[in-house]
Amino acid sequence: MSLLEAKGFKVHYGGIQAVRGVDFEVGEGELVCLIGANGAGKSSILKGLMGLVQHGGEIRFAGERLSGRPTHAIARLGLALVPEGRGIFGRLTVAENLDMGAYSRRDTAVVRSDLARVYRLFPRLAERRTQLAGTLSGGEQQMLAIGRAMMARPRLLLLDEPSMGLAPLMVQKIYQTITDIAREGVTILLVEQNAHLALQVSQRGYVMESGAMVLSGSSDLLANDPGVKAAYLGE
Amino acid sequence: MDIFIQQLINGLVLGSIYALVALGYTMVYGILELINFAHGEVTMIGAMVALAVIGALLGAHPELPGMMVLLAGVLVAVPACMALGFVIERVAYRPLRKAPRLAPLITAIGVSIVLQNAAMLIWGRGYVSFPAILPRGRHDLLGATVSDLQIAIVALSILTMFGLVFLVNHTRLGRAMRATAQSREVAELMGVNVNTVISATFIIGSALAAIAGVMVSAYYGLAHYYMGFLLGLKAFSAAVLGGIGNITGAVLGGLLLGVIEALGAGYIGDLTGGFLGSNYQDVFAFMVLILVLVFRPSGLLGERVASRA
């Protein structure tokens, strides 16, 4: 059984249907990507999973139904979202942001070792731990957002456009870290407009177009699909 | 010069009470961007409940030491106001969380009216006087007089404010409050139950209001069902002066407003050649409010909107 299973999953904003009844799944330990053009409904899927927007259909996470639960309860089940635009707390320090990631955890000793791990993963954050997060550069804020999500010890990490607005060198660094995190066994669902990057690091992928899944398969297969090549890889 | 120092002292005492009430306004605004106009009434209820307990205790056991009776009054008034604050948020604001801004403002005024009238029905229309159980020592300070009561008010205010600052800056709840103030959605993503945090904010603010209510009735020697209105409005002005949403700002605004008001009352006679007397002291708070709103709407320590994450 998959860790995350969605059947007929819909998201709507008022009367507008952003996701029109899609099926997808993420297995334990997988890195799955969701690619597609701007406005295809990728971010809506992540927001719907976290209960931030109205949704319908059936979603099960580790056997539990997610529909109808408030966002904080979904987070406590082990889903962590790194939102588009990072969503760091600018007026909290770097260390306080990371503490917020572990907000619902009681295992203080393990939290402390997780904090050390995040600082190892992102030495830059360790240097700036007492600085207000709002003073960090865009790339550093992205590191902080990922580190903060890791502090929750998520069973499923949801990443929304982690490369957006970053310099190429920083994108490389962030993607290196995503690969490292996946190698440690964390299950990841990655939403990315940059299909090149996403298909490079993931094992499987889904392609979205105007609210529907139009293609799915192993990332190698997708990367060689003539349609994907033409539409998303610019070849 | 004596008048100056005397009024400075009086202003700081009054200001520390304003600051305690202003903190309640500013904390709620920081998280919900809502002006809880019923907050002044919570202060009044705190004073009334404490006085009722003090009166009943003195009636039954006149031999009890005054400080103990006062403490008992505070110990009942604080939890009573905490419960009241919790209920106000649940009944008047939470159902309107997604409504236009104006709606909770109207319910806030409604809650104020309900509380004033309830207090009038319970405790009557007249003044309730504060019994003579307080220490009445006086001390000389640089040619001015400071009473034991004034010292106690300032000391207790400082202690309470330090407690609040510690809570906000160094506890898990405080961190969740600050995170929620910056982004409710992201706080939820971290597993924070935002409704619990909002309730906690109202409860803490109301506890401060209860303490302030007891102080103000002890200071003026009376309480009245209408006392929350003006006090609330002045404390709100103080919060705006300091920069609403900012905790240090509320303390600074409260103290500053108290001093401006006391100095204004002390010198208004001289300034207007005797035309206006010290009974015009209330105009100063609102003059300050108007000036701030015209020249620096974000207040002294107000945050620029752009810095909100």
Side-chain angles (χ1 to χ4, degrees), chain A residues 72 76 90-92 96 103, chain B residues 172 178 182 188 191 303:
Chain A
H72 64 90
R76 287 176 192 188
R91 281 173 287 150
L92 265 56
E96 283 175 331
Y103 181 77
Chain B
R172 183 169 174 268
R178 285 182 292 140
Q182 288 183 59
E188 281 271 343
E303 283 137 17

Side-chain angles (χ1 to χ4, degrees), chain A residues 47 50 52 70-72 75-76 79 81 83 87-92 96-97 99-101 103-106 148, chain B residues 169 172-173 175-176 178-183 185-194 197 245 303 307-309:
Chain A
K47 285 184 184 158
M50 295 305 298
L52 291 173
T71 300
H72 64 90
R76 287 176 192 188
L79 281 94
L81 168 65
I88 58 142
F89 300 112
R91 281 173 287 150
L92 265 56
E96 283 175 331
N97 267 275
D99 283 343
M100 282 308 298
Y103 181 77
S104 32
R105 293 177 60 185
R106 303 284 181 194
R148 185 179 62 180
Chain B
N169 287 329
R172 183 169 174 268
L173 173 64
R175 202 155 52 230
R178 285 182 292 140
T180 305
Q182 288 183 59
S183 167
E185 191 170 275
V186 182
E188 281 271 343
L189 287 176
M190 305 289 112
V192 176
N193 185 343
V194 165
V197 169
E303 283 137 17
S307 73
R308 293 183 81 92

Side-chain angles (χ1 to χ4, degrees), chain A residues 121-221:
Chain A
L121 220 47
F122 301 110
R124 190 76 67 86
L125 296 182
E127 289 164 28
R128 319 218 150 173
R129 66 182 86 190
T130 57
Q131 220 166 301
L132 288 186
T135 64
L136 299 182
S137 74
E140 291 165 346
Q141 290 188 6
Q142 188 60 266
M143 294 176 185
L144 179 58
I146 294 174
R148 185 179 62 180
M150 293 304 294
M151 289 301 294
R153 260 198 184 237
R155 295 186 62 188
L156 174 61
L157 180 63
L158 308 172
L159 298 168
D160 198 352
E161 306 271 5
S163 76
M164 198 168 67
L166 300 183
L169 215 64
M170 191 53 85
V171 172
Q172 240 177 45
K173 160 85 183 133
I174 295 285
Y175 266 80
Q176 184 54 52
T177 316
I178 293 172
T179 329
D180 290 345
I181 292 171
R183 207 168 287 139
E184 287 179 29
V186 179
T187 312
I188 299 176
L189 177 57
L190 168 69
V191 159
E192 183 60 83
Q193 244 186 91
N194 186 335
H196 248 304
L197 272 172
L199 291 173
Q200 253 172 41
V201 298
S202 59
Q203 288 123 39
R204 281 197 310 121
Y206 292 90
V207 183
M208 267 192 102
E209 229 165 69
S210 14
M213 300 282 188
V214 292
L215 209 60
S216 71
S218 83
S219 298
D220 294 338
L221 224 65

Side-chain angles (χ1 to χ4, degrees), chain B residues 183-240:
Chain B
S183 167
R184 241 184 278 173
E185 191 170 275
V186 182
E188 281 271 343
L189 287 176
M190 305 289 112
V192 176
N193 185 343
V194 165
N195 279 330
T196 309
V197 169
I198 290 170
S199 287
T201 308
F202 273 84
I203 289 171
I204 294 165
S206 301
L208 300 184
I211 295 171
V214 177
M215 283 177 177
V216 87
S217 59
Y219 194 46
Y220 289 122
L222 50 86
H224 186 241
Y225 77 92
Y226 205 60
M227 69 185 267
F229 177 72
L230 196 58
L231 180 62
L233 224 47
K234 284 186 187 171
F236 169 68
S237 307
V240 172

